[in-house]
Amino acid sequence: DTAVSQTPKYLVTQMGNDKSIKCEQNLGHDTMYWYKQDSKKFLKIMFSYNNKELIINETVPNRFSPKSPDKAHLNLHINSLELGDSAVYFCASSQFRRSIAGPTDTQYFGPGTRLTVL
Amino acid sequence: QKEVEQNSGPLSVPEGAIASLNCTYSDRGSQSFFWYRQYSGKSPELIMFIYSNGDKEDGRFTAQLNKASQYVSLLIRDSQPSDSATYLCAVNVGGTSYGKLTFGQGTILTVHP
């Protein structure tokens, strides 16, 4: 009954390699995200897709390319990995709702992928 | 000025005390505010969100929002050692409906027995 899942959980690779991280959500949400959390634990958004359409693209190097084959999946491909790419990458999903408590777009996070570039 | 600022701590409180976590934000257009808890090596998990001025209570947690002062806080009553974690304040900066969250750097909370 996992809500947001990511694979792999750990990824160790050499500089210059290309790697992919996969994310899937079974919450029926329309929007999915990729975040990067650096060694200082600062969590920063990279990309967001809504119904397979890219809606947020922060200042991320072109080596990072997200792909959303359907609204339940959002993958992240990274070319020519660099030492500075070492971090934990989190996928998240959300569904915008209006309720008595107010408008919300609560994001639910996956378990994270720890990427180490040697 | 950072868009969302928190004291990084660590904040240390004794078991049973009230822990007070603070967050300020720069964008007056921000509409919704979130508190996440992150245990070491784990993913952020939502504690609560608030969007209107005043207090919102959920169990031992109370979120307080003051839009005029651009300030949001989280109070944890009867703090337990299991509350020891990093608390992340997140703001929907710009009030978009697509949930672009900007996070603070997090406050490390330690509750000692």
Side-chain angles (χ1 to χ4, degrees), chain B residues 3-6 15 17-18 28-29 34-35 43-44 46 55 58 61 63 68 80 91 94 104 107-108 110:
Chain B
E3 291 180 278
V4 180
E5 289 205 59
Q6 299 178 249
E15 185 174 357
I18 296 176
R28 287 193 174 275
F34 302 80
W35 282 101
S43 58
L46 181 72
D55 295 0
D58 184 0
F61 300 95
Q80 301 297 310
V91 176
T107 298
I108 299 171
T110 302

PDB file of all heavy atoms in Angstrom, chain B residues 3-6 15 17-18 28-29 34-35 43-44 46 55 58 61 63 68 80 91 94 104 107-108 110:
ATOM      1  N   GLU B   3      13.859  33.326   1.248  1.00  0.00           N
ATOM      2  CA  GLU B   3      12.406  33.358   1.130  1.00  0.00           C
ATOM      3  C   GLU B   3      11.728  32.797   2.371  1.00  0.00           C
ATOM      4  O   GLU B   3      10.675  33.290   2.781  1.00  0.00           O
ATOM      5  CB  GLU B   3      11.977  32.589  -0.104  1.00  0.00           C
ATOM      6  CG  GLU B   3      12.382  33.276  -1.409  1.00  0.00           C
ATOM      7  CD  GLU B   3      11.929  32.488  -2.619  1.00  0.00           C
ATOM      8  OE1 GLU B   3      12.624  31.529  -2.985  1.00  0.00           O
ATOM      9  OE2 GLU B   3      10.886  32.836  -3.185  1.00  0.00           O
ATOM     10  N   VAL B   4      12.293  31.744   2.933  1.00  0.00           N
ATOM     11  CA  VAL B   4      11.742  31.119   4.143  1.00  0.00           C
ATOM     12  C   VAL B   4      12.900  30.889   5.100  1.00  0.00           C
ATOM     13  O   VAL B   4      13.883  30.252   4.727  1.00  0.00           O
ATOM     14  CB  VAL B   4      11.051  29.782   3.823  1.00  0.00           C
ATOM     15  CG1 VAL B   4      10.492  29.147   5.085  1.00  0.00           C
ATOM     16  CG2 VAL B   4       9.953  29.977   2.782  1.00  0.00           C
ATOM     17  N   GLU B   5      12.781  31.432   6.299  1.00  0.00           N
ATOM     18  CA  GLU B   5      13.872  31.333   7.260  1.00  0.00           C
ATOM     19  C   GLU B   5      13.424  30.668   8.544  1.00  0.00           C
ATOM     20  O   GLU B   5      12.344  30.960   9.066  1.00  0.00           O
ATOM     21  CB  GLU B   5      14.431  32.719   7.579  1.00  0.00           C
ATOM     22  CG  GLU B   5      15.210  33.322   6.438  1.00  0.00           C
ATOM     23  CD  GLU B   5      16.238  34.338   6.892  1.00  0.00           C
ATOM     24  OE1 GLU B   5      17.132  33.984   7.676  1.00  0.00           O
ATOM     25  OE2 GLU B   5      16.115  35.496   6.456  1.00  0.00           O
ATOM     26  N   GLN B   6      14.260  29.785   9.021  1.00  0.00           N
ATOM     27  CA  GLN B   6      14.059  29.144  10.314  1.00  0.00           C
ATOM     28  C   GLN B   6      15.383  29.170  11.065  1.00  0.00           C
ATOM     29  O   GLN B   6      16.450  29.183  10.448  1.00  0.00           O
ATOM     30  CB  GLN B   6      13.685  27.661  10.155  1.00  0.00           C
ATOM     31  CG  GLN B   6      12.430  27.371   9.417  1.00  0.00           C
ATOM     32  CD  GLN B   6      12.217  25.858   9.305  1.00  0.00           C
ATOM     33  OE1 GLN B   6      12.311  25.291   8.225  1.00  0.00           O
ATOM     34  NE2 GLN B   6      11.921  25.218  10.431  1.00  0.00           N
ATOM     35  N   GLU B  15      11.774  16.644  28.250  1.00  0.00           N
ATOM     36  CA  GLU B  15      10.545  15.899  28.037  1.00  0.00           C
ATOM     37  C   GLU B  15       9.407  16.523  28.827  1.00  0.00           C
ATOM     38  O   GLU B  15       9.573  16.910  29.992  1.00  0.00           O
ATOM     39  CB  GLU B  15      10.748  14.442  28.475  1.00  0.00           C
ATOM     40  CG  GLU B  15       9.578  13.529  28.200  1.00  0.00           C
ATOM     41  CD  GLU B  15       9.906  12.064  28.522  1.00  0.00           C
ATOM     42  OE1 GLU B  15      11.066  11.782  28.895  1.00  0.00           O
ATOM     43  OE2 GLU B  15       9.012  11.227  28.385  1.00  0.00           O
ATOM     44  N   ALA B  17       7.992  19.388  28.137  1.00  0.00           N
ATOM     45  CA  ALA B  17       7.958  20.842  27.938  1.00  0.00           C
ATOM     46  C   ALA B  17       7.289  21.180  26.605  1.00  0.00           C
ATOM     47  O   ALA B  17       6.969  20.302  25.796  1.00  0.00           O
ATOM     48  CB  ALA B  17       9.374  21.402  27.975  1.00  0.00           C
ATOM     49  N   ILE B  18       7.086  22.468  26.388  1.00  0.00           N
ATOM     50  CA  ILE B  18       6.566  22.953  25.107  1.00  0.00           C
ATOM     51  C   ILE B  18       7.741  23.356  24.222  1.00  0.00           C
ATOM     52  O   ILE B  18       8.604  24.135  24.632  1.00  0.00           O
ATOM     53  CB  ILE B  18       5.635  24.165  25.310  1.00  0.00           C
ATOM     54  CG1 ILE B  18       4.398  23.756  26.104  1.00  0.00           C
ATOM     55  CG2 ILE B  18       5.220  24.745  23.951  1.00  0.00           C
ATOM     56  CD1 ILE B  18       3.473  24.930  26.442  1.00  0.00           C
ATOM     57  N   ARG B  28       4.610  38.209   0.565  1.00  0.00           N
ATOM     58  CA  ARG B  28       3.300  38.483   1.156  1.00  0.00           C
ATOM     59  C   ARG B  28       2.164  37.793   0.409  1.00  0.00           C
ATOM     60  O   ARG B  28       1.058  37.690   0.924  1.00  0.00           O
ATOM     61  CB  ARG B  28       3.038  40.002   1.173  1.00  0.00           C
ATOM     62  CG  ARG B  28       3.846  40.745   2.214  1.00  0.00           C
ATOM     63  CD  ARG B  28       3.333  42.162   2.409  1.00  0.00           C
ATOM     64  NE  ARG B  28       4.034  42.802   3.518  1.00  0.00           N
ATOM     65  CZ  ARG B  28       3.674  42.676   4.787  1.00  0.00           C
ATOM     66  NH1 ARG B  28       2.621  41.959   5.114  1.00  0.00           N
ATOM     67  NH2 ARG B  28       4.358  43.273   5.736  1.00  0.00           N
ATOM     68  N   GLY B  29       2.436  37.318  -0.792  1.00  0.00           N
ATOM     69  CA  GLY B  29       1.417  36.609  -1.561  1.00  0.00           C
ATOM     70  C   GLY B  29       1.263  35.156  -1.169  1.00  0.00           C
ATOM     71  O   GLY B  29       0.400  34.457  -1.690  1.00  0.00           O
ATOM     72  N   PHE B  34       3.068  25.028   5.649  1.00  0.00           N
ATOM     73  CA  PHE B  34       3.126  23.636   6.040  1.00  0.00           C
ATOM     74  C   PHE B  34       4.255  23.412   7.034  1.00  0.00           C
ATOM     75  O   PHE B  34       5.306  24.052   6.959  1.00  0.00           O
ATOM     76  CB  PHE B  34       3.381  22.748   4.811  1.00  0.00           C
ATOM     77  CG  PHE B  34       2.342  22.886   3.728  1.00  0.00           C
ATOM     78  CD1 PHE B  34       2.384  23.953   2.834  1.00  0.00           C
ATOM     79  CD2 PHE B  34       1.328  21.957   3.592  1.00  0.00           C
ATOM     80  CE1 PHE B  34       1.432  24.084   1.838  1.00  0.00           C
ATOM     81  CE2 PHE B  34       0.375  22.081   2.600  1.00  0.00           C
ATOM     82  CZ  PHE B  34       0.425  23.141   1.727  1.00  0.00           C
ATOM     83  N   TRP B  35       4.026  22.481   7.927  1.00  0.00           N
ATOM     84  CA  TRP B  35       5.091  21.992   8.797  1.00  0.00           C
ATOM     85  C   TRP B  35       5.295  20.511   8.515  1.00  0.00           C
ATOM     86  O   TRP B  35       4.343  19.722   8.573  1.00  0.00           O
ATOM     87  CB  TRP B  35       4.754  22.201  10.271  1.00  0.00           C
ATOM     88  CG  TRP B  35       4.951  23.610  10.731  1.00  0.00           C
ATOM     89  CD1 TRP B  35       3.996  24.567  10.910  1.00  0.00           C
ATOM     90  CD2 TRP B  35       6.207  24.230  11.073  1.00  0.00           C
ATOM     91  NE1 TRP B  35       4.575  25.739  11.326  1.00  0.00           N
ATOM     92  CE2 TRP B  35       5.926  25.558  11.445  1.00  0.00           C
ATOM     93  CE3 TRP B  35       7.536  23.788  11.102  1.00  0.00           C
ATOM     94  CZ2 TRP B  35       6.913  26.457  11.843  1.00  0.00           C
ATOM     95  CZ3 TRP B  35       8.515  24.668  11.490  1.00  0.00           C
ATOM     96  CH2 TRP B  35       8.205  25.995  11.860  1.00  0.00           C
ATOM     97  N   SER B  43      12.167  10.416   4.948  1.00  0.00           N
ATOM     98  CA  SER B  43      11.588  11.473   4.121  1.00  0.00           C
ATOM     99  C   SER B  43      10.739  12.412   4.978  1.00  0.00           C
ATOM    100  O   SER B  43      10.286  12.036   6.059  1.00  0.00           O
ATOM    101  CB  SER B  43      10.744  10.858   3.005  1.00  0.00           C
ATOM    102  OG  SER B  43       9.725  10.036   3.543  1.00  0.00           O
ATOM    103  N   PRO B  44      10.509  13.626   4.496  1.00  0.00           N
ATOM    104  CA  PRO B  44       9.639  14.553   5.238  1.00  0.00           C
ATOM    105  C   PRO B  44       8.214  14.017   5.310  1.00  0.00           C
ATOM    106  O   PRO B  44       7.690  13.480   4.331  1.00  0.00           O
ATOM    107  CB  PRO B  44       9.696  15.836   4.408  1.00  0.00           C
ATOM    108  CG  PRO B  44      10.935  15.715   3.587  1.00  0.00           C
ATOM    109  CD  PRO B  44      11.089  14.265   3.306  1.00  0.00           C
ATOM    110  N   LEU B  46       4.225  15.159   6.595  1.00  0.00           N
ATOM    111  CA  LEU B  46       3.419  16.319   6.950  1.00  0.00           C
ATOM    112  C   LEU B  46       2.897  16.207   8.375  1.00  0.00           C
ATOM    113  O   LEU B  46       2.368  15.186   8.783  1.00  0.00           O
ATOM    114  CB  LEU B  46       2.230  16.433   5.992  1.00  0.00           C
ATOM    115  CG  LEU B  46       1.324  17.644   6.252  1.00  0.00           C
ATOM    116  CD1 LEU B  46       2.031  18.929   5.819  1.00  0.00           C
ATOM    117  CD2 LEU B  46       0.001  17.483   5.506  1.00  0.00           C
ATOM    118  N   ASP B  55      -4.733  30.328  15.083  1.00  0.00           N
ATOM    119  CA  ASP B  55      -4.189  29.056  15.538  1.00  0.00           C
ATOM    120  C   ASP B  55      -4.953  27.888  14.938  1.00  0.00           C
ATOM    121  O   ASP B  55      -6.152  27.975  14.708  1.00  0.00           O
ATOM    122  CB  ASP B  55      -4.280  28.957  17.072  1.00  0.00           C
ATOM    123  CG  ASP B  55      -3.426  29.981  17.783  1.00  0.00           C
ATOM    124  OD1 ASP B  55      -2.756  30.767  17.085  1.00  0.00           O
ATOM    125  OD2 ASP B  55      -3.428  29.995  19.020  1.00  0.00           O
ATOM    126  N   ASP B  58      -3.942  20.376  16.408  1.00  0.00           N
ATOM    127  CA  ASP B  58      -4.124  18.974  16.045  1.00  0.00           C
ATOM    128  C   ASP B  58      -3.351  18.145  17.052  1.00  0.00           C
ATOM    129  O   ASP B  58      -2.130  18.024  16.963  1.00  0.00           O
ATOM    130  CB  ASP B  58      -3.620  18.718  14.620  1.00  0.00           C
ATOM    131  CG  ASP B  58      -3.876  17.284  14.165  1.00  0.00           C
ATOM    132  OD1 ASP B  58      -4.440  16.483  14.950  1.00  0.00           O
ATOM    133  OD2 ASP B  58      -3.517  16.950  13.019  1.00  0.00           O
ATOM    134  N   PHE B  61       0.012  19.298  18.666  1.00  0.00           N
ATOM    135  CA  PHE B  61       0.601  20.301  17.786  1.00  0.00           C
ATOM    136  C   PHE B  61      -0.350  21.473  17.566  1.00  0.00           C
ATOM    137  O   PHE B  61      -1.548  21.284  17.359  1.00  0.00           O
ATOM    138  CB  PHE B  61       0.946  19.682  16.430  1.00  0.00           C
ATOM    139  CG  PHE B  61       1.934  18.548  16.495  1.00  0.00           C
ATOM    140  CD1 PHE B  61       1.508  17.229  16.546  1.00  0.00           C
ATOM    141  CD2 PHE B  61       3.294  18.798  16.525  1.00  0.00           C
ATOM    142  CE1 PHE B  61       2.418  16.184  16.612  1.00  0.00           C
ATOM    143  CE2 PHE B  61       4.221  17.768  16.583  1.00  0.00           C
ATOM    144  CZ  PHE B  61       3.784  16.449  16.623  1.00  0.00           C
ATOM    145  N   ALA B  63      -0.316  25.025  15.149  1.00  0.00           N
ATOM    146  CA  ALA B  63       0.317  25.932  14.201  1.00  0.00           C
ATOM    147  C   ALA B  63      -0.299  27.308  14.377  1.00  0.00           C
ATOM    148  O   ALA B  63      -1.500  27.441  14.605  1.00  0.00           O
ATOM    149  CB  ALA B  63       0.126  25.435  12.769  1.00  0.00           C
ATOM    150  N   ALA B  68       0.321  39.317   8.764  1.00  0.00           N
ATOM    151  CA  ALA B  68       0.806  40.699   8.822  1.00  0.00           C
ATOM    152  C   ALA B  68       2.287  40.738   9.179  1.00  0.00           C
ATOM    153  O   ALA B  68       3.056  41.545   8.637  1.00  0.00           O
ATOM    154  CB  ALA B  68      -0.007  41.501   9.830  1.00  0.00           C
ATOM    155  N   GLN B  80       7.936  14.806  23.560  1.00  0.00           N
ATOM    156  CA  GLN B  80       8.422  13.456  23.828  1.00  0.00           C
ATOM    157  C   GLN B  80       9.755  13.235  23.110  1.00  0.00           C
ATOM    158  O   GLN B  80      10.010  13.856  22.074  1.00  0.00           O
ATOM    159  CB  GLN B  80       7.399  12.437  23.326  1.00  0.00           C
ATOM    160  CG  GLN B  80       6.023  12.574  23.964  1.00  0.00           C
ATOM    161  CD  GLN B  80       6.068  12.323  25.449  1.00  0.00           C
ATOM    162  OE1 GLN B  80       6.611  11.323  25.911  1.00  0.00           O
ATOM    163  NE2 GLN B  80       5.501  13.262  26.211  1.00  0.00           N
ATOM    164  N   VAL B  91       6.461  26.931   2.563  1.00  0.00           N
ATOM    165  CA  VAL B  91       5.512  27.985   2.201  1.00  0.00           C
ATOM    166  C   VAL B  91       5.192  27.879   0.722  1.00  0.00           C
ATOM    167  O   VAL B  91       6.101  27.691  -0.107  1.00  0.00           O
ATOM    168  CB  VAL B  91       6.119  29.373   2.508  1.00  0.00           C
ATOM    169  CG1 VAL B  91       5.198  30.478   2.047  1.00  0.00           C
ATOM    170  CG2 VAL B  91       6.416  29.509   3.987  1.00  0.00           C
ATOM    171  N   GLY B  94       4.039  32.708  -3.463  1.00  0.00           N
ATOM    172  CA  GLY B  94       3.378  33.208  -4.662  1.00  0.00           C
ATOM    173  C   GLY B  94       1.944  32.749  -4.768  1.00  0.00           C
ATOM    174  O   GLY B  94       1.223  33.191  -5.652  1.00  0.00           O
ATOM    175  N   GLY B 104      12.203  26.114   4.392  1.00  0.00           N
ATOM    176  CA  GLY B 104      13.245  26.671   5.223  1.00  0.00           C
ATOM    177  C   GLY B 104      14.339  25.632   5.420  1.00  0.00           C
ATOM    178  O   GLY B 104      14.212  24.485   4.987  1.00  0.00           O
ATOM    179  N   THR B 107      14.703  23.206  11.481  1.00  0.00           N
ATOM    180  CA  THR B 107      15.154  23.365  12.864  1.00  0.00           C
ATOM    181  C   THR B 107      15.299  21.989  13.482  1.00  0.00           C
ATOM    182  O   THR B 107      14.357  21.184  13.451  1.00  0.00           O
ATOM    183  CB  THR B 107      14.152  24.183  13.703  1.00  0.00           C
ATOM    184  OG1 THR B 107      14.034  25.491  13.168  1.00  0.00           O
ATOM    185  CG2 THR B 107      14.618  24.282  15.161  1.00  0.00           C
ATOM    186  N   ILE B 108      16.481  21.716  14.006  1.00  0.00           N
ATOM    187  CA  ILE B 108      16.714  20.439  14.661  1.00  0.00           C
ATOM    188  C   ILE B 108      16.197  20.530  16.097  1.00  0.00           C
ATOM    189  O   ILE B 108      16.600  21.412  16.859  1.00  0.00           O
ATOM    190  CB  ILE B 108      18.213  20.094  14.672  1.00  0.00           C
ATOM    191  CG1 ILE B 108      18.730  19.975  13.229  1.00  0.00           C
ATOM    192  CG2 ILE B 108      18.461  18.791  15.434  1.00  0.00           C
ATOM    193  CD1 ILE B 108      20.237  19.856  13.131  1.00  0.00           C
ATOM    194  N   THR B 110      15.707  18.556  19.712  1.00  0.00           N
ATOM    195  CA  THR B 110      16.094  17.423  20.559  1.00  0.00           C
ATOM    196  C   THR B 110      15.288  17.496  21.840  1.00  0.00           C
ATOM    197  O   THR B 110      15.312  18.524  22.533  1.00  0.00           O
ATOM    198  CB  THR B 110      17.596  17.447  20.887  1.00  0.00           C
ATOM    199  OG1 THR B 110      18.338  17.418  19.666  1.00  0.00           O
ATOM    200  CG2 THR B 110      17.977  16.246  21.737  1.00  0.00           C
TER     201      THR B 110
END
